């Protein structure tokens, strides 16, 4: 019996150790920090494509008993040393999986008191390294240019896109190079190097930098000065982009108030980067984003992020829909400014389709989604924009614009949450919008309306009695009814509550037809929308070469509408990519026999049939298809040039890849 006492004691000790480790692990997982200030001293060597840096990070622990802290840092950068403000070494553990460096402090950091850690690190950033955001490049040091954007985590980052900070950057480059960065700039020469210093006193997300050679092309218009660092063929586009930026800055200033910085610096990146990325006072554009003509949609999204992202930012990743959707809706404001409300209605249809491609999670749980993934953009951008569109419909144009301006004014240089938008909208409209936000932000699903009605003649005209059914029990939204009569159409509004809502409306003219939600104000399903959503999902699978899943989605579209030319066309594309040319030709023919919506399907179907006939040695038939493509006179995505090219020289299929 006595021999069991040491065993029991050992078990007790192990239990205590295990419990202590568990508590420590739990504490580490929930450790919260508020970074106050970042000071970077870095040397960039374009010849060796290398970076060496020291980062001083000043932060406040937000929890009791903070024994650890975790910062994200690009895996290509090796940490050689971490110390505290007194120079005492702090153990640092690297995690390649989540691009993090975990620090373990010798004693707990006091809650609410400023602490400082100093990282020393270096490495090469050639643009070929694994990115913290899978498949998207945010950092590259080349001989003639370099860019290091905030998402690359080229310096220690806490709570990505959420934790705001002020910063000072001291960047050394060889003579002949210039550094571009957010903040007040000073520079000095030192032993064959130029040392640039930038001071960004506001708390935001500074730290996206560029290194360039040569002078920028300057654009001065409407009181806006823009410095554009474009290379190669893109230089021809600089003047046009400068003019467009000036127009948009003036427009968004009238809409949102004074920007954080009136003048912008625009830097060209390279292939593999996002089409656009916005940093305080800076915009990065890829060659594809710049293109051969000004992409005003891309610009309006990125320029508006000077307000929605720099000036205000989400309180957590679950609220990132606020900035992503506000930037996307800014595109619509610009479209409306130049092309009118009807153009916005057409754009909204596409946004609704994208929003419905992902049914889970709800918007308020978007932190579950990978940054920059199609699902992330579908929820935080497309569905968020759909929500803003419905909010505008419910509270009216004036209250909607007042809401956005109020959020920016009250939240300037701070973090905002969904409740901030809701309260601002309620104050502007005088309406209780809690149910609206619960329905569209905190819940999933969208209704599919079914309308039944009967028309009765009255002494003053006509009475329409009907019922609107849908399958969401907690649903509540006003919905427009358009009554087509022998004269002008009449519009009424009814409240749809629950799964079945009865209504009675009066009409002066004889009703010929009643249309529910004629302007597509409500995010909802219908047969055309189901077809479009299935096709879009198929396209998403096809983009990552998941052809089996793509085919299933296209088949869903055809199950709803066998006459969908677009669905047949997408199926044909899959067969073509898989070199099943007979099946591809059959589906291209079905596309021609369908509804030809959108119209470009006709010209591109003839081109693709021509390619199939060239591949199979039927040149005469191929020429006939190319000529038919030319006769359509449709030049969507350069179709006419493509057809003319293969009239001259037969199409050759690319070599098969293993």
């Amino acid at each position: 019996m006595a021999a069991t006492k040491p065993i029991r004691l050992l078990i007790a000790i192990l239990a205590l150790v295990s419990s202590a480790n568990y508590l420590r692990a739990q504490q580490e997982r929930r450790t919260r920090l508020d970074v106050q200030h970042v000071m970077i001293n870095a040397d960039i060597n374009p010849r060796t494509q290398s970076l060496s840096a020291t980062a001083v990070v000043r932060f406040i622990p937000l929890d009791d008993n903070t024994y650890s802290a975790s910062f994200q840092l690009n895996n290509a950068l090796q940490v050689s040393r971490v110390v505290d403000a007194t120079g005492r070494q702090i153990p640092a553990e690297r995690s390649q999986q989540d691009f993090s460096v975990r620090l373990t402090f010798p004693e707990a950091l006091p809650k609410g008191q400023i602490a400082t850690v100093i990282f020393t690190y270096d490495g090469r950033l050639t643009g070929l390294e694994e990115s913290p955001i899978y498949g998207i490049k945010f950092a590259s040091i080349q001989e003639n240019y370099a860019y290091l954007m905030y998402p690359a985590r080229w310096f220690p980052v806490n709570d990505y896109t959420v934790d705001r900070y002020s910063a000072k950057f001291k960047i050394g480059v060889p003579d002949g190079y210039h550094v571009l960065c957010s903040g007040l700039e000073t520079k000095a020469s030192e032993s064959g190097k130029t040392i640039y210093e930038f001071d960004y006193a506001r708390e935001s997300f500074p730290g996206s930098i560029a290194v360039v050679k040569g002078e920028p092309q300057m654009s001065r218009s409407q009181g806006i000065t823009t410095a554009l660092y474009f290379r190669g063929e893109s230089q021809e586009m600089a003047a046009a982009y400068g003019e467009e930026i000036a127009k948009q800055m003036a427009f968004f200033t009238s809409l949102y108030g004074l920007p954080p910085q009136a003048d912008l610096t625009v830097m060209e990146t390279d292939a593999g980067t996002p089409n656009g990325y916005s940093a305080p006072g800076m915009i990065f554009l890829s060659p594809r984003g710049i293109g051969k003509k000004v992409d005003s949609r891309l610009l309006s999204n990125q320029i508006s992020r000077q307000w929605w992202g720099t000036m205000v930012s989400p309180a957590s990743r679950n609220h990132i829909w606020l900035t992503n959707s506000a930037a996307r809706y800014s595109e619509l404001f610009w479209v409306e400014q130049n092309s009118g409300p009807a153009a916005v209605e057409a754009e909204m249809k596409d946004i609704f389709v994208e929003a419905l491609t992902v049914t889970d999670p709800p918007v308020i749980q978007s932190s579950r989604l990978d940054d920059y993934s199609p699902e992330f953009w579908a929820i935080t951008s497309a569905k968020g924009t759909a929500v803003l569109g419905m909010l505008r419909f419910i509270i009216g144009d004036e209250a909607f614009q007042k809401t956005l301006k109020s959020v920016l004014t009250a939240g300037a240089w701070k973090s905002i949450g969904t409740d901030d938008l809701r309260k601002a909208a309620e104050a502007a409209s005088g309406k209780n919008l809690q149910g609206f936000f619960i329905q569209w932000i905190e819940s999933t699903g969208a209704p599919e309306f079914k309308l039944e009605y009967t028309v009765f003649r009255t002494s003053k005209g006509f009475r329409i009695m009907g019922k609107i059914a849908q399958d969401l029990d907690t649903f509540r939204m006003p919905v427009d009814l358009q009554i087509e009569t022998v004269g002008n159409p009449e519009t009424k509004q009814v409240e749809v509550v629950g799964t079945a809502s009865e209504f009675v409306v009066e009409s002066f003219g004889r009703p010929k037809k009643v249309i529910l939600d004629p302007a597509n104000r409500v995010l909802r399903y219908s047969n055309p929308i189901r077809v479009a959503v299935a096709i879009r999902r198929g396209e998403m699978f096809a983009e990552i070469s998941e052809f089996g899943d793509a085919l299933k989605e296209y088949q869903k579209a055809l199950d709803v509408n066998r006459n969908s030319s677009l669905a047949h066309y997408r199926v044909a594309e899959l067969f073509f990519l898989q070199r099943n040319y007979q099946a591809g030709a059959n589906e291209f023919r079905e596309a021609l026999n369908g509804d030809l919506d959108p119209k470009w399907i006709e010209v591109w179907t003839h081109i693709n049939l021509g390619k199939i006939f060239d591949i199979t040695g039927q040149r005469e038939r191929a020429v006939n298809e190319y000529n038919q493509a030319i006769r359509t006179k449709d030049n969507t995505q350069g179709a006419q040039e493509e057809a003319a090219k293969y009239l001259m020289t037969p199409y050759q299929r690319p070599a098969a890849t293993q």
Side-chain angles (χ1 to χ4, degrees):
M1 294 290 292
T4 62
K5 290 183 179 180
I7 296 174
R8 289 175 180 171
L9 181 60
L10 179 60
I11 292 173
I13 292 172
L14 290 173
L16 286 171
V17 171
S18 176
S19 176
N21 288 340
Y22 174 78
L23 290 173
R24 176 67 62 87
Q26 290 295 100
Q27 191 272 336
E28 289 177 350
R29 275 195 288 271
R30 66 173 181 264
T31 293
R32 296 177 302 130
L33 311 175
D34 179 11
V35 170
Q36 302 288 294
H37 184 75
V38 175
M39 185 165 61
I40 309 294
N41 190 336
D43 279 318
I44 296 174
N45 189 329
R47 184 178 61 82
T48 60
Q49 299 178 282
S50 62
L51 164 78
S52 60
T54 299
V56 182
V57 182
R58 192 170 70 230
F59 65 93
I60 295 175
L62 300 178
D63 299 313
D64 292 320
N65 299 319
T66 297
Y67 284 96
S68 67
S70 184
F71 295 88
Q72 286 194 308
L73 186 68
N74 195 297
N75 283 344
L77 302 173
Q78 292 77 44
V79 178
S80 57
R81 190 165 181 255
V82 182
V83 299
D84 64 14
T86 67
R88 180 174 52 173
Q89 186 117 1
I90 299 172
E93 179 185 357
R94 256 298 196 174
S95 172
Q96 297 284 322
Q97 184 175 359
D98 61 358
F99 292 80
S100 70
V101 179
R102 181 177 294 279
L103 310 181
T104 303
F105 304 110
E107 63 271 332
L109 300 179
K111 176 182 178 181
Q113 294 187 24
I114 290 178
T116 300
V117 291
I118 304 168
F119 296 79
T120 302
Y121 60 97
D122 59 22
R124 297 181 73 228
L125 292 168
T126 67
L128 301 177
E129 299 79 18
E130 181 185 5
S131 171
I133 298 174
Y134 180 75
I136 303 178
K137 184 164 56 173
F138 287 95
S140 179
I141 302 175
Q142 302 298 322
E143 184 176 354
N144 294 319
Y145 65 91
Y147 52 87
L148 304 172
M149 291 181 262
Y150 168 72
R153 280 78 152 179
W154 69 273
F155 60 92
V157 169
N158 173 65
D159 213 353
Y160 169 69
T161 70
V162 173
D163 189 3
R164 303 172 67 91
Y165 53 90
S166 60
K168 286 187 177 181
F169 295 89
K170 186 176 181 180
I171 311 293
V173 292
D175 284 342
Y177 290 87
H178 306 283
V179 179
L180 314 174
C181 185
S182 309
L184 296 175
E185 175 189 333
T186 58
K187 66 179 180 179
S189 295
E190 179 184 297
S191 303
K193 293 195 303 183
T194 306
I195 309 299
Y196 288 82
E197 294 192 36
F198 301 89
D199 187 354
Y200 201 90
R202 295 278 198 177
E203 289 192 350
S204 187
F205 301 98
S208 294
I209 70 171
V211 178
V212 296
K213 296 185 78 172
E215 296 301 318
Q217 292 174 264
M218 303 300 297
S219 172
R220 295 177 177 86
S221 179
Q222 301 191 35
I224 305 295
T225 300
T226 306
L228 300 108
Y229 291 86
F230 286 1
R231 306 184 307 275
E233 294 180 358
S234 296
Q235 293 181 73
E236 299 175 1
M237 297 300 301
Y241 267 91
E243 286 291 327
E244 183 72 5
I245 287 169
K247 292 175 186 175
Q248 292 197 12
M249 284 295 290
F251 172 71
F252 288 122
T253 297
S254 70
L255 203 62
Y256 297 140
L258 291 175
Q261 185 174 323
D263 299 334
L264 294 179
T265 299
V266 184
M267 159 72 181
E268 180 181 358
T269 56
D270 58 14
T273 62
N275 284 346
Y277 179 78
S278 183
M282 301 179 70
I283 293 176
F284 296 80
L285 297 176
S286 72
R288 178 182 176 184
I290 295 169
K292 300 297 183 182
K293 64 178 182 179
V294 174
D295 189 337
S296 62
R297 296 288 298 274
L298 174 63
L299 269 186
S300 56
N301 188 299
Q302 298 304 316
I303 288 173
S304 68
R305 289 179 185 273
Q306 296 298 308
W307 288 267
W308 302 101
T310 292
M311 185 176 284
V312 300
S313 58
S316 77
R317 294 285 291 179
N318 282 329
H319 299 280
I320 201 167
W321 77 274
L322 291 165
T323 50
N324 284 345
S325 61
R328 183 80 172 267
Y329 207 92
S330 295
E331 294 180 36
L332 300 184
F333 277 138
W334 185 244
V335 169
E336 186 174 25
Q337 170 75 4
N338 290 280
S339 304
V344 173
E345 290 181 13
E347 294 287 343
M348 264 301 184
K349 290 180 182 178
D350 292 337
I351 288 170
F352 280 8
V353 169
E354 184 183 350
L356 292 170
T357 58
V358 179
T359 57
D360 188 65
V363 175
I364 202 63
Q365 295 179 25
S366 52
S367 62
R368 293 161 49 187
L369 300 168
D370 291 336
D371 198 21
Y372 276 81
S373 67
E375 296 83 2
F376 173 80
W377 291 118
I379 292 292
T380 67
S381 178
K383 187 172 183 182
T385 304
V387 172
L388 291 183
M390 291 186 288
L391 179 63
R392 182 180 182 180
F393 165 59
I394 288 173
I395 68 176
D397 290 356
E398 184 178 349
F400 181 67
Q401 293 196 8
K402 184 178 178 182
T403 296
L404 297 182
K405 185 78 174 290
S406 174
V407 169
L408 287 167
T409 301
W413 304 107
K414 293 186 290 188
S415 300
I416 59 171
T418 300
D419 275 350
D420 294 310
L421 176 66
R422 176 182 61 80
K423 290 174 183 177
E426 288 178 339
S429 66
K431 296 183 178 182
N432 184 331
L433 298 168
Q434 179 173 308
F436 174 86
F437 279 87
I438 289 174
Q439 177 174 290
W440 295 111
I441 300 299
E442 300 181 29
S443 307
T444 58
E448 182 168 7
F449 295 143
K450 295 179 181 178
L451 173 65
E452 299 175 357
Y453 62 91
T454 305
V455 178
F456 298 94
R457 190 175 190 87
T458 67
S459 58
K460 297 181 180 180
F462 299 88
R463 176 173 298 146
I464 303 166
M465 300 180 65
K467 181 175 74 172
I468 301 170
Q470 55 83 39
D471 56 359
L472 299 181
D473 190 37
T474 60
F475 183 84
R476 179 179 181 180
M477 277 281 288
V479 180
D480 283 344
L481 287 176
Q482 181 174 293
I483 304 165
E484 294 188 356
T485 68
V486 292
N488 294 325
E490 301 178 27
T491 301
K492 309 289 182 180
Q493 194 170 91
V494 299
E495 190 83 1
V496 178
V497 181
T499 56
S501 301
E502 296 183 350
F503 66 88
V504 178
V505 295
E506 306 289 336
S507 168
F508 178 75
R510 178 186 294 276
K512 297 192 297 181
K513 186 179 182 181
V514 178
I515 302 172
L516 188 64
D517 189 27
N520 295 301
R521 305 286 192 188
V522 181
L523 180 64
R524 60 188 175 90
Y525 287 104
S526 64
N527 280 347
I529 288 292
R530 288 190 185 279
V531 170
V533 168
I535 292 173
R536 183 68 192 104
R537 284 176 178 160
E539 291 168 346
M540 292 165 67
F541 281 121
E543 286 169 9
I544 56 174
S545 299
E546 295 290 344
F547 297 137
D549 290 326
L551 189 58
K552 290 177 184 177
E553 292 297 333
Y554 296 147
Q555 189 57 54
K556 289 178 184 177
L558 290 170
D559 289 343
V560 177
N561 179 13
R562 295 297 305 176
N563 205 38
S564 170
S565 288
L566 184 56
H568 283 296
Y569 184 89
R570 293 303 186 211
V571 172
E573 280 186 320
L574 290 184
F575 287 137
F576 186 88
L577 288 170
Q578 295 173 309
R579 302 191 170 206
N580 187 343
Y581 298 121
Q582 181 59 63
N586 291 343
E587 286 298 321
F588 280 129
R589 292 296 183 198
E590 291 293 336
L592 285 175
N593 293 330
D595 56 19
L596 292 180
D597 183 22
K599 189 70 176 68
W600 58 260
I601 284 176
E602 182 179 7
V603 64
W604 278 102
T605 294
H606 284 303
I607 290 172
N608 281 299
L609 282 169
K611 290 179 179 180
I612 289 174
F613 291 136
D614 265 339
I615 289 170
T616 56
Q618 302 176 68
R619 180 61 180 165
E620 187 176 339
R621 297 181 72 186
V623 167
N624 179 57
E625 295 295 338
Y626 298 139
N627 280 323
Q628 289 193 63
I630 288 173
R631 282 195 288 270
T632 67
K633 298 182 180 180
D634 186 335
N635 197 31
T636 302
Q637 293 187 339
Q640 294 299 305
E641 291 84 351
E642 186 87 351
K645 179 173 69 174
Y646 295 125
L647 268 176
M648 297 293 295
T649 305
Y651 173 80
Q652 299 289 327
R653 69 175 180 177
T657 55
Q658 297 296 323

